[in-house]
Amino acid sequence: MKNNKLWLASLSALIAIPSAVYVVPVNDHVEAAKEDEKTSPKVVFKDVPSNDPYFEIINEMYNLGYISGYPDGTFKPNDKISRKHVAALLARVLPLEPVREAKQFKDVPKTHLYYENIQRVQRAGIMTGDENGNFNPDASLTRAQIAKIIDLAFDLDVKSNNDFVDISPTYWAKEHVMAVYSNGVMTGYGEYFKPNEKVTRAQYAIFLHLALNIGNNDQIAPANPPLAQPIKGQLTYYTESELRTTYAMAVSMYIIARQKVTMNEPDVVTDDELYFQDPSITGEFSEQNLLYLKRFVETDSEMERILDKWLNKDFSDIVWDYITLVTIADADNAAGDLDVFVKERTKEAEEYYIQKVFGEEALKRHKEQY
């Protein structure tokens, strides 16, 4: 059976007694390559490089004082935008005249950092709370919810209609979706709008920028990027429909994680580890492959949380991430006390692994991304 064969093969690769061992020496050479600062665009956030399709817009929003990042110099573009941050940005860019009485939310006391911003969007009639009197400031928002918020905030007119397969005539946010779509603020994915897909920080910054520039002839709405595909020859073992299942997604993710973890010494790579790593089953730890898996992972699942961390280059819990994924894939067969045996590879061992399994081009990609 397909699943059992893959499980046994991958488990064997991790726990097999090594037939040959390679101790990877510490790489003490200093890379000489450096970009010419005079000609390269200034990078404001270290996780939004100059080749990012939304680099210019995110930098412009930052320079205007509309958006900010984190103390570590990141923007975390792939993190889900929270309700409190949506409120803060709207309060920052719009006058927001009050149209109703203020409401005190149970979970937003006056000492809350975003209290004033949340009060402004609530009084402006743009955002409200739930039936229990909470605002849920840390909750994420869907594309449909963001469409409603932007429509109300900018008082948009519906200029034209478009029939999206997943937006029925009676859908609660249909008018809001049509308003943002017909004004070029949000686009669809072919014939789909994906109303329940969560919105990221980068996407919200783009939507807000487009809304602020409606009517500007020089403003061109960036098209939705094509659906992410894996690196050629990688991650082809499971079909797209299979990747929507918990098992296939967990297996695909934990096999990718093998690049960063081992049951040997952290600086050791064995023949057995290399032998069992078929690129068509696994894939290198790259943004392209992670974005491909992101298309199919279950929304709000533990696996999506791990993927989001990895996309933000957060590998601080990679050992526990790996153990979690192994357990999700097959809790009955997962060996006990894995945390005793699983270790994070050294940088040099990881690079040796990448070179041997995926080749020089993959190693080059890795160094550029990480």
Side-chain angles (χ1 to χ4, degrees):
M1 201 171 138
K2 186 177 183 181
N3 289 345
N4 289 337
K5 286 180 181 178
L6 180 56
W7 168 264
L8 292 173
S10 57
L11 188 61
S12 298
L14 193 66
I15 64 177
I17 298 173
S19 57
V21 173
Y22 304 96
V23 179
V24 184
V26 175
N27 188 354
D28 58 1
H29 75 277
V30 178
E31 294 184 18
K34 193 174 184 180
E35 289 189 58
D36 185 353
E37 294 181 358
K38 293 182 181 179
T39 58
S40 298
K42 182 180 167 126
V43 174
V44 174
F45 302 111
K46 58 187 180 183
D47 54 354
V48 184
S50 58
N51 62 351
D52 187 286
Y54 303 134
F55 171 79
E56 291 186 6
I57 291 179
I58 289 176
N59 271 22
E60 181 183 334
M61 294 289 280
Y62 171 82
N63 291 330
L64 289 170
Y66 294 160
I67 63 175
S68 58
Y70 291 87
D72 63 356
T74 62
F75 181 65
K76 302 189 188 303
N78 297 309
D79 274 9
K80 304 295 186 298
I81 188 75
S82 64
R83 287 171 56 83
K84 66 187 179 189
H85 288 147
V86 166
L89 265 66
L90 286 177
R92 204 171 293 161
V93 304
L94 296 174
L96 298 182
E97 296 297 328
V99 297
R100 62 186 177 191
E101 293 297 318
K103 178 179 180 179
Q104 300 300 315
F105 296 107
K106 295 177 183 177
D107 55 353
V108 186
K110 292 185 178 180
T111 54
H112 193 283
L113 181 62
Y114 294 93
Y115 175 80
E116 291 297 335
N117 294 324
I118 290 170
Q119 282 293 306
R120 288 186 63 194
V121 295
Q122 183 273 326
R123 293 185 66 196
I126 298 169
M127 299 178 72
T128 186
D130 61 22
E131 64 275 10
N132 297 315
N134 294 313
F135 185 77
N136 303 305
D138 296 314
S140 55
L141 294 106
T142 65
R143 282 169 56 84
Q145 290 169 333
I146 288 292
K148 177 182 178 181
I149 288 169
I150 292 178
D151 181 20
L152 294 176
F154 289 87
D155 192 22
L156 302 178
D157 294 322
V158 177
K159 297 178 178 178
S160 63
N161 280 293
N162 185 71
D163 292 327
F164 289 111
V165 172
D166 50 1
I167 302 292
S168 70
T170 58
Y171 185 66
W172 69 269
K174 179 177 172 59
E175 289 300 309
H176 302 303
V177 170
M178 291 301 104
V180 294
Y181 174 79
S182 63
N183 282 278
V185 176
M186 296 175 72
T187 58
Y189 296 83
E191 58 185 356
Y192 294 89
F193 184 75
K194 297 189 178 180
N196 297 318
E197 183 176 271
K198 296 298 179 67
V199 173
T200 66
R201 287 169 53 83
Q203 289 168 339
Y204 181 63
I206 303 306
F207 298 154
L208 201 56
H209 182 273
L210 293 171
L212 288 166
N213 286 277
I214 290 174
N216 181 352
N217 292 330
D218 296 328
Q219 178 65 22
I220 301 175
N224 281 320
L227 293 177
Q229 298 296 327
I231 293 171
K232 187 176 181 181
Q234 299 182 19
L235 294 174
T236 60
Y237 184 80
Y238 289 115
T239 65
E240 293 188 355
S241 60
E242 287 175 327
L243 282 173
R244 297 185 188 280
T245 68
T246 298
Y247 176 84
M249 177 58 66
V251 169
S252 298
M253 287 177 64
Y254 83 63
I255 292 181
I256 281 182
R258 292 278 175 73
Q259 176 178 312
K260 294 186 174 291
V261 301
T262 180
M263 276 193 176
N264 299 301
E265 290 305 311
D267 60 346
V268 166
V269 179
T270 70
D271 266 349
D272 292 305
E273 288 182 293
L274 301 176
Y275 176 77
F276 282 101
Q277 298 311 310
D278 180 351
S280 68
I281 297 175
T282 184
E284 63 192 82
F285 225 120
S286 70
E287 183 178 8
Q288 184 175 340
N289 283 341
L290 296 180
L291 287 172
Y292 172 68
L293 293 178
K294 177 80 171 168
R295 289 175 51 195
F296 311 107
V297 71
E298 181 183 353
T299 302
D300 292 331
S301 66
E302 182 66 11
M303 292 183 293
E304 184 186 48
R305 185 189 66 79
I306 293 173
L307 265 181
D308 285 341
K309 280 200 311 178
W310 293 354
L311 280 165
N312 281 306
K313 302 178 183 178
D314 178 0
F315 307 115
S316 57
D317 296 318
I318 189 64
V319 169
W320 282 107
D321 292 343
Y322 174 83
I323 294 170
T324 298
L325 293 165
V326 169
T327 305
I328 290 173
D330 197 331
D332 293 335
N333 289 322
D337 299 324
L338 274 176
D339 58 304
V340 177
F341 304 103
V342 181
K343 306 176 185 70
E344 184 173 359
R345 294 187 194 276
T346 63
K347 175 178 179 289
E348 293 72 28
E350 181 181 3
E351 290 180 354
Y352 179 83
Y353 176 99
I354 296 168
Q355 182 185 37
K356 290 297 181 182
V357 176
F358 303 109
E360 290 292 341
E361 283 299 314
L363 182 57
K364 181 181 177 182
R365 268 193 300 269
H366 173 78
K367 289 181 176 180
E368 289 173 349
Q369 290 185 16
Y370 301 106

